Amino acid sequence: MAVADEIVVSGSYDAIYEFCLQQGWTDGLPVVPPTRERVGAMLEWTDRDADEVVGSIPPLNGHASIRKIAANAVMAGCRPNYLPVVITAVEALLDKGFNLDAVQPTTGPITQLVIVNGPVARELGINAGTTAFGPGWRSNATIGRAIRLILVNIGGAKPGEVNQKTQGQPGMFSLCAAENEARSPWEPFHVEHGIPAEHSAVTVFATFPGYDIHEGETANDILTNLSRETGGMTRKLVNGGEHVVALCPEHAQILASAGFSKQQVKEFLWQHAGAPLAHLVPYFQRLARLRRANVFQVESGDDTWLPIADRPDQIHVIVVGGTSRHSTYFPCFSYSRFASRRITNHCGQAIRSVKDLFRNS
Amino acid sequence: MVVCSHDFSALARSVARACGVDDPRLVILPHPLGSLPDQAIKTIIRRGHDEIMSVLTGKKRYTEVA
């Protein structure tokens, strides 16, 4: 189909859904038709020009204009006032360190974990508690979905063609939550990274599917178990890179009550999560020697310790979830670094509320 | 010139087209490559050496190495 400013499709909702499916514009699920009226309503929630191009989305380098971002947000089912979060997430994805060029076409089952911090997360009702990584909340479901549709519809990462992920993962539909700042014993993630608490931020991580880390009564139980569960993962032993530890509030409170700061949690995991080289079969030992040459600078025998991370600051700790003791460990794609962006107006000034950006306020 | 394994040739063509190159010079190797030992990869390359050089020097635009 040729590029057009507007495409006219007539027929029933089912006919429009089928049309969008045939064009490859959906994730398989029905999309909300991005009519002129709906996109217009969405664009009222940004002070940026609709034709402004935020950047080119790899690998096919489609231009992510504010208008196209808004259209995909409509298709995903976003409320119009979610647009500032979606735009900010796109800006974060385009950070060079995030390496979207590699994330998009890789065969590994990578998706974008989107975490929102600050007052805007609460204002928009982005769930940080029970089932935060699951279904039930429009904000979580549709903001994450908008990101995925943007990567397909603007970046060109259509499954089976440009997107060659061998199996994919369910998080490729949507994976978005707010950090549970109210129940975290530590500073929020964005504050940890230099953003004032009263500002709002969107952070993106390129992650593999999450893994449940459950139970434990003491800090030692939780951290030692976490170290052992993650320390056996061939992928991270061979490739290193970043990690996301999404602690449930109960796990976080137990650790904090035992005197652990967030930094101390990271250092514990960095020191204890790993395995000796001999833990790997010969094929992966060979890869580890190639890909983690820094680890072998001093020792190179079979008992060389392979930590899952090269530094504590590669282990990111956030607090998410509700009742009971289930945390999630997300291994990250080794060739990508997390990226955070503040939610701002067009001048780059942090906003207090998405209403600050509403054109008709 | 793009060198890729067969299963990634569609991706290579798509990215080339997005960069304004409608007819990229392509060398297609057997898939998969990643799990092959170094010696097996070298054998494939030696076998296809002349064809690969033909594409590299522009004498041909496309070749598939078996």
Side-chain angles (χ1 to χ4, degrees), chain A residues 8-24:
Chain A
V8 179
V9 181
S10 58
S12 65
Y13 179 79
D14 284 347
I16 295 171
Y17 174 29
E18 282 300 326
F19 176 79
C20 291
L21 272 173
Q22 285 162 18
Q23 302 307 313

Side-chain angles (χ1 to χ4, degrees), chain B residues 32-54:
Chain B
L33 283 176
S35 54
L36 295 180
D38 291 350
Q39 200 50 51
I41 296 177
K42 287 177 184 171
T43 300
I44 292 169
I45 299 304
R46 285 196 195 99
R47 193 163 61 229
H49 175 270
D50 290 348
E51 285 289 296
I52 295 168
M53 291 307 293
S54 295

Side-chain angles (χ1 to χ4, degrees), chain A residues 60 105 107 161-162 164 283 286, chain B residues 7-8 11 14-15 18 34-35 38:
Chain A
L60 300 193
T107 53
E161 187 183 307
V162 167
Q164 289 280 356
Y283 172 81
R286 186 167 63 93
Chain B
D7 284 22
F8 291 95
L11 169 62
S14 293
V15 175
S35 54
D38 291 350

Side-chain angles (χ1 to χ4, degrees), chain A:
Chain A
M1 172 171 287
V3 175
D5 290 330
E6 193 170 86
I7 297 166
V8 179
V9 181
S10 58
S12 65
Y13 179 79
D14 284 347
I16 295 171
Y17 174 29
E18 282 300 326
F19 176 79
C20 291
L21 272 173
Q22 285 162 18
Q23 302 307 313
W25 293 340
T26 84
D27 49 12
L29 294 169
V31 291
V32 178
T35 61
R36 194 184 301 183
E37 292 73 24
R38 289 198 183 99
V39 175
M42 186 71 69
L43 287 171
E44 287 188 334
W45 286 86
T46 179
D47 62 349
R48 294 163 80 160
D49 189 89
D51 293 320
E52 176 194 337
V53 175
V54 174
S56 298
I57 310 267
L60 300 193
N61 299 321
H63 293 161
S65 66
I66 297 293
R67 190 191 314 280
K68 285 186 195 172
I69 292 172
N72 279 277
V74 168
M75 293 168 76
C78 288
R79 285 200 171 97
N81 61 353
Y82 298 170
L83 183 62
V85 174
V86 178
I87 292 172
T88 307
V90 173
E91 291 173 329
L93 288 172
L94 292 173
D95 184 282
K96 279 196 106 45
F98 188 80
N99 197 8
L100 204 50
D101 286 274
V103 169
Q104 285 271 66
T106 183
T107 53
I110 309 293
T111 194
Q112 291 68 38
L113 168 61
V114 181
I115 297 294
V116 187
N117 280 99
V120 167
R122 295 183 284 279
E123 180 184 14
L124 299 181
I126 302 175
N127 184 22
T130 301
T131 331
F133 291 138
W137 269 259
R138 182 175 179 178
S139 44
N140 298 52
T142 60
I143 291 171
R145 191 184 185 209
I147 299 307
R148 294 297 315 163
L149 290 178
I150 285 164
L151 293 178
V152 173
N153 293 335
I154 305 178
K158 291 189 180 2
E161 187 183 307
V162 167
N163 182 344
Q164 289 280 356
K165 288 166 178 50
T166 307
Q167 295 185 335
Q169 59 146 303
M172 290 173 69
F173 283 97
S174 175
L175 188 57
C176 172
E179 184 172 22
N180 197 333
E181 296 177 20
R183 293 190 63 190
S184 171
W186 303 302
E187 74 276 15
F189 184 84
H190 69 314
V191 173
E192 181 193 347
H193 291 276
I195 298 173
E198 63 272 21
H199 295 180
S200 300
V202 180
T203 303
V204 291
F205 305 92
T207 66
F208 290 90
Y211 181 78
D212 177 48
I213 306 289
H214 75 303
E215 301 295 346
E217 285 186 334
T218 66
N220 186 59
D221 290 342
I222 294 163
L223 288 177
T224 301
N225 180 46
L226 183 54
S227 299
R228 288 181 185 170
E229 296 259 33
T230 58
M233 277 205 186
T234 298
R235 158 159 298 285
K236 298 313 285 182
L237 295 173
V238 169
N239 295 290
E242 297 190 342
H243 312 257
V244 175
V245 177
L247 290 171
C248 63
E250 289 188 28
H251 277 164
Q253 288 293 345
I254 291 170
L255 297 179
S257 297
F260 280 89
S261 66
K262 197 191 288 193
Q263 181 62 26
Q264 287 169 323
V265 169
K266 296 178 179 195
E267 286 170 3
F268 185 102
L269 294 174
W270 171 65
Q271 285 167 358
H272 295 91
L277 181 67
H279 170 80
L280 300 172
V281 298
Y283 172 81
F284 288 110
Q285 288 187 25
R286 186 167 63 93
L287 288 184
R289 288 184 185 281
L290 284 172
R291 295 179 186 173
R292 300 196 71 191
N294 56 305
V295 170
F296 296 94
Q297 282 172 359
V298 175
E299 295 174 39
S300 60
D302 286 351
D303 57 354
T304 301
W305 179 256
L306 289 172
I308 59 169
D310 291 331
R311 309 179 303 276
D313 68 2
Q314 288 185 310
I315 300 171
H316 305 296
V317 176
I318 58 176
V319 179
V320 180
T323 294
S324 198
R325 296 175 193 178
H326 289 273
S327 295
T328 303
Y329 165 64
F330 293 97
C332 294
F333 183 46
S334 300
Y335 304 104
S336 172
R337 288 197 312 268
F338 84 98
S340 289
R341 291 289 187 275
R342 290 181 313 154
I343 304 177
T344 67
N345 62 17
H346 73 286
C347 298
Q349 296 163 329
I351 59 169
R352 293 159 304 159
S353 159
V354 290
K355 294 191 185 76
D356 294 349
L357 301 174
F358 184 53
R359 287 175 188 266
N360 288 323
S361 61

